[in-house]
Amino acid sequence: MAVAAARLDPHHEIADIDRRLFGGFVEHLGRHIYDGIHEPGHPAAGADGFRRDVIELVRELGVSTIRYPGGNFVSGYRWEDGIGPVDERPRRLDLAWHSTETNEVGLHEFAAWLELVGSDLMLAVNLGTRGTQEALDLLEYANVDAKTAWTDRRAANGHPEPFGVTMWCLGNEMDGPWQIGHKNAGDYGKLASQTAKAMRMLDPSLELVVCGSSARSMPTFGSWERTVLEHTFDDVDFISCHSYYQERGDDAQEFLASGVDMALFIEAVVSIADAVAATKKSDKRIMVSFDEWNIWYLHDEGGGQNDKPEEKGWPVAPRLLEDRYSVLDAVVFGDLLITLLQHADRVRSASLAQLVNVIAPIMTEPGGPAWRQTTFFPFSLTSRLATGRAVRVPVVSPTFASAVAGDVAAVNAVATIDDDGASLFVVNRSTSEAATLTVDLGPLLAALGRDVAVDEAHLLHDDDMYAANTLEAPERVGRTTLDAEIDGTALTIPLPPVSWGCLRLT
Ligand code: AHR
């Protein structure tokens, strides 16, 4: 049994938590929209075709802002295809995912769905096959409150009021050779700067996200951020990070170090952004929008890609990227959420990629049920309990050796504090050793001027770390109770190997 010790001191504040840290991402990809959130004729679907059972689960998940409509898809998307009478909309080839896009769902339908789930819209513009003018057209159509040809069309399409979208992504993964319209950093930086400036002429209050690297492992990582920010520093508020993690070669211990990899990625991007600020003699701070993060079994053991959409023809809504998540995946995932909270001062927005059926916490079957994957639990609990301010919780812990970051602490933690109490999020990354974490609550109790009790405490763990929820057994894995106890000022938390937990102190 390993022993770990920590101290919860409210003075170790990181930052107020921006609710946009708990964002999601919906792309026109596979069965995400069609046969996922939208399935006319399903017993749970409303007259609008949207499944109410899925809406309930998305509400329970607690996603704030949702990025739309891609992803790789956006780099070939004509947004005008998705407005106007549905039966007049064109069917188009989607080159990114080798599928046929029917355009039954577009901006209006998606905005209506967001109203039902209670989330805000974050839009991405196409800077792959298109440019500044089309971005301006979309912005005018979506946001302008004046009488113009575009806003007349919006009203004729049933939405006289502007959609009021504040956060916009300037393209998607433009550093990736797979991206339609892939560019070098200089060309992309110039286009993004010019597009951002024009968008701000239309609406200065926008919050704009410029594309960073698609992964820390990209050959251009670092120089891409520097060059892009040299062009766009004055025009944007955020730079994006994207990162997906998976277990490789049956090395669960290495996989469990993924949170440290994410931390190194964030800290490197922040350093580059601040270095560009220094060269510009500016005290402006560019924030990170971690707008794609998740576990994704993207690579096969040979380093190739697992899903091969081009082998399926041009189907509508094919089964793509339908990863099944284990308890191990969910523990790593929970640690990624801890990492985001630990960087809440600079990561002011993040989008779990994605939401339904496609590398998703929620799965559905056509004509059948919807269910929660293992990753659903850490997300919904963190989104609900992480309120107020994020607070650092340094842990003295045994370590294990990793290739990605040398010695890695087996136990990791972060806390949040608000007017009613505190929440604590913990992970045991060890595959072999249980741990007992003792947290000194003295500084917290002194600051609050009263005692606290454990109000709720949840554990994600299974003796079979590869256990998962499936269509056949949708409730095989759930959360159980974490046996946290307070004695005086000491909070004791037992953590089995490969486990994630959280608790609320009030
Ligand atoms: O989320 C799946 C894909 O991953 C997105 O379309 C793309 O942006 C990234 O490469």
Side-chain angles (χ1 to χ4, degrees), residues 156-487:
N157 290 332
H159 211 283
E161 299 302 320
F163 290 100
V165 182
T166 52
M167 215 165 160
W168 294 73
C169 303
L170 300 164
N172 176 69
E173 294 191 349
M174 300 309 298
D175 64 322
W178 58 86
Q179 199 69 212
I180 305 170
H182 163 228
K183 292 172 180 47
N184 65 41
D187 289 348
Y188 170 66
K190 282 180 211 150
L191 175 61
S193 166
Q194 165 191 313
T195 304
K197 282 190 173 76
M199 290 174 77
R200 283 201 196 286
M201 287 171 80
L202 201 154
D203 182 350
S205 71
L206 300 178
E207 292 184 78
L208 299 177
V209 187
V210 75
C211 291
S213 293
S214 312
R216 190 159 84 100
S217 56
M218 291 298 287
T220 51
F221 171 60
S223 65
W224 173 274
E225 278 74 5
R226 194 189 60 233
T227 305
V228 165
L229 283 177
E230 278 165 0
H231 285 285
T232 60
F233 186 82
D234 295 326
D235 309 315
V236 302
D237 307 285
F238 293 87
I239 185 160
S240 69
C241 289
H242 289 184
S243 200
Y244 294 97
Y245 301 93
Q246 70 178 89
E247 184 185 5
R248 294 187 192 222
D250 292 331
D251 192 346
Q253 192 60 87
E254 183 66 28
F255 179 38
L256 282 152
S258 300
V260 183
D261 186 72
M262 182 190 243
L264 292 171
F265 190 8
I266 295 167
E267 287 156 21
V269 171
V270 166
S271 303
I272 296 164
D274 292 352
V276 175
T279 62
K280 293 184 181 281
K281 320 263 181 296
S282 170
D283 57 7
K284 174 176 174 180
R285 288 294 170 260
I286 299 283
M287 298 296 162
V288 171
S289 170
F290 215 117
D291 50 39
E292 287 189 33
W293 70 270
N294 202 351
I295 313 302
W296 178 10
Y297 285 82
L298 169 63
H299 301 287
D300 60 30
E301 286 306 324
Q305 211 146 323
N306 266 327
D307 258 302
K308 298 189 172 58
E310 61 283 0
E311 290 175 0
K312 301 186 183 192
W314 295 99
V316 174
R319 287 182 187 262
L320 288 174
L321 280 59
E322 299 204 3
D323 289 22
R324 188 177 86 175
Y325 293 121
S326 66
V327 171
L328 168 64
D329 294 327
V331 169
V332 173
F333 180 103
D335 193 23
L336 297 177
L337 281 162
I338 290 175
T339 306
L340 290 173
L341 285 168
Q342 287 168 333
H343 295 84
D345 52 339
R346 297 301 292 267
V347 184
R348 305 297 292 168
S349 179
S351 309
L352 165 61
Q354 298 196 16
L355 215 52
V356 178
N357 287 335
V358 172
I359 43 174
I362 299 167
M363 296 300 290
T364 73
E365 203 45 36
W371 68 96
R372 301 168 187 81
Q373 292 236 55
T374 54
T375 52
F376 186 99
F377 302 106
F379 193 98
S380 59
L381 287 166
T382 306
S383 173
R384 181 166 64 81
L385 296 180
T387 50
R389 294 158 284 146
V391 172
R392 220 172 294 290
V393 181
V395 182
V396 179
S397 158
T399 58
F400 61 87
S402 79
V404 70
D407 287 345
V408 167
V411 177
N412 188 29
V414 73
T416 63
I417 298 186
D418 56 44
D419 293 345
D420 299 325
S423 303
L424 189 65
F425 305 87
V426 293
V427 64
N428 181 1
R429 296 161 166 159
S430 171
T431 53
S432 53
E433 263 205 283
T436 300
L437 171 65
T438 305
V439 184
D440 175 9
L441 298 179
L444 173 73
L445 302 186
L448 292 174
R450 58 185 148 90
D451 281 344
V452 291
V454 178
D455 196 29
E456 52 179 306
H458 310 279
L459 177 70
L460 189 77
H461 168 75
D462 198 282
D463 288 343
D464 174 7
M465 68 178 174
Y466 293 106
N469 291 340
T470 58
L471 173 62
E472 296 73 31
E475 295 184 4
R476 162 67 183 80
V477 178
R479 55 191 180 165
T480 55
T481 303
L482 180 70
D483 294 324
E485 274 180 19
I486 299 179
D487 183 6

Side-chain angles (χ1 to χ4, degrees), residues 28 68-69 73-92 101-109 123-126 129-142 149-150 153-154 157:
H28 285 249
Y68 173 84
F73 171 80
V74 80
S75 295
Y77 183 49
R78 285 172 266 204
W79 67 270
E80 309 89 320
D81 289 347
I83 60 171
V86 173
D87 53 4
E88 291 171 18
R89 295 185 192 171
R91 288 166 75 93
R92 301 275 192 201
E101 171 58 48
T102 64
N103 284 305
E104 283 162 78
V105 171
L107 176 60
H108 289 256
E109 293 77 18
L123 276 175
V125 300
N126 173 357
T129 58
R130 304 187 114 187
T132 305
Q133 183 58 61
E134 293 88 347
L136 283 174
D137 292 344
L138 175 56
L139 176 60
E140 184 176 329
Y141 186 90
W150 280 120
R153 267 179 87 175
R154 185 183 72 217
N157 290 332

